[in-house]
Amino acid sequence: MAHGKTSYVCLPCRASYKQPYPGYHDHDRVCPRCAEPLIHVGSAFAAPKRRDTAAWRALSVLLHAGVRFHKSCCGGPGRRPRTLSEVRERMAYARATGEPFAQALVRRDLP
């Protein structure tokens, strides 16, 4: 079994941490800055800059919808919106069509 690293984020601190993959007997991970629980986001995650509050808000919507950043057979996690306007467009599309939010958020293009 590979012992690589994966990313976790703390949304309140706008911080990302590379840590070993979770194991079977692993404990919940907490932010070293604020002690809030970290969110496992996947090994293909690239964090926005801490001062880019709009990108962190967009990321928060993705994570709360269940979207993660795991590597796929093609190498990356696929398309993820990075701006609030992209998030809003995809959420409006989901409401109009009935498509689940998580699915609409990871669409490459909207029809």
Side-chain angles (χ1 to χ4, degrees), residues 10 12-15 17 30-36 50:
C10 176
C13 293
R14 295 193 307 261
Y17 303 96
V30 296
C31 177
R33 300 173 97 194
C34 71
E36 288 293 315
R50 185 171 282 132

Side-chain angles (χ1 to χ4, degrees), residues 44-98:
F45 177 72
K49 295 198 180 304
R50 185 171 282 132
R51 68 182 172 273
D52 189 349
T53 55
W56 279 94
R57 285 188 12 227
L59 175 63
S60 177
V61 172
L62 292 172
L63 296 178
H64 286 103
V67 175
R68 297 298 185 263
F69 299 80
H70 298 289
K71 291 181 181 172
S72 69
C73 63
C74 301
R79 173 76 169 81
R80 302 289 189 264
R82 296 202 45 96
T83 66
L84 284 172
S85 64
E86 289 179 320
V87 167
R88 280 193 289 271
E89 287 173 349
R90 282 160 176 74
M91 290 181 80
Y93 175 80
R95 280 191 292 275
T97 63

Side-chain angles (χ1 to χ4, degrees), residues 31-44:
C31 177
R33 300 173 97 194
C34 71
E36 288 293 315
L38 292 174
I39 300 170
H40 181 221
V41 293
S43 60

